[in-house]
């Protein structure tokens, strides 16, 4: 009796971890992103201004600084959505 061992199983190709799916955002998705980031930016600017001017918090208070940082972040994201894709 000769024993050849277990039969070899076929190898399965693994997907690359960062493979692009090939889908591009359409014009509607870009407009929706623009609208969302614009609303978030303007809303956080309003919150920071309200907390600083109306509520009377100092400008270095976390109640003013946190929304200002958020507004800066979403403003940067808004700028990035407007940049042309290369």
């Amino acid at each position: 009796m000769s024993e050849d061992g277990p039969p070899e199983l076929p190898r399965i190709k693994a997907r690359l971890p960062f493979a692009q799916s090939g889908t591009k955002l359409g014009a509607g998705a870009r407009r929706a992103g623009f609208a969302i980031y614009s609303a978030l930016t303007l809303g956080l600017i309003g919150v920071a201004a309200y907390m600083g001017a109306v509520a009377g918090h100092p400008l270095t208070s976390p109640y003013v600084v946190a929304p200002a940082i958020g507004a800066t972040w979403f403003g940067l994201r808004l700028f990035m959505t407007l940049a042309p894709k290369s």
Side-chain angles (χ1 to χ4, degrees):
M1 244 184 176
S2 79
E3 293 185 31
D4 294 320
E8 288 194 31
L9 298 175
R11 287 186 60 120
I12 298 172
K13 288 186 177 180
R15 287 185 59 183
L16 294 175
F18 299 111
Q20 293 182 356
S21 62
T23 59
K24 301 246 181 195
L25 291 178
R30 292 188 83 187
R31 277 192 299 242
F34 177 78
I36 290 169
Y37 289 135
S38 297
L40 285 170
T41 302
L42 293 175
L44 287 171
I45 288 171
V47 168
Y50 173 81
M51 289 295 186
V54 178
H57 291 286
L59 293 180
T60 57
S61 168
Y63 293 105
V64 177
V65 172
I69 291 172
T72 304
W73 174 260
F74 285 114
L76 178 64
R77 294 290 301 172
L78 179 64
F79 176 73
M80 288 170 48
T81 59
L82 295 175
K85 305 288 183 199
S86 57

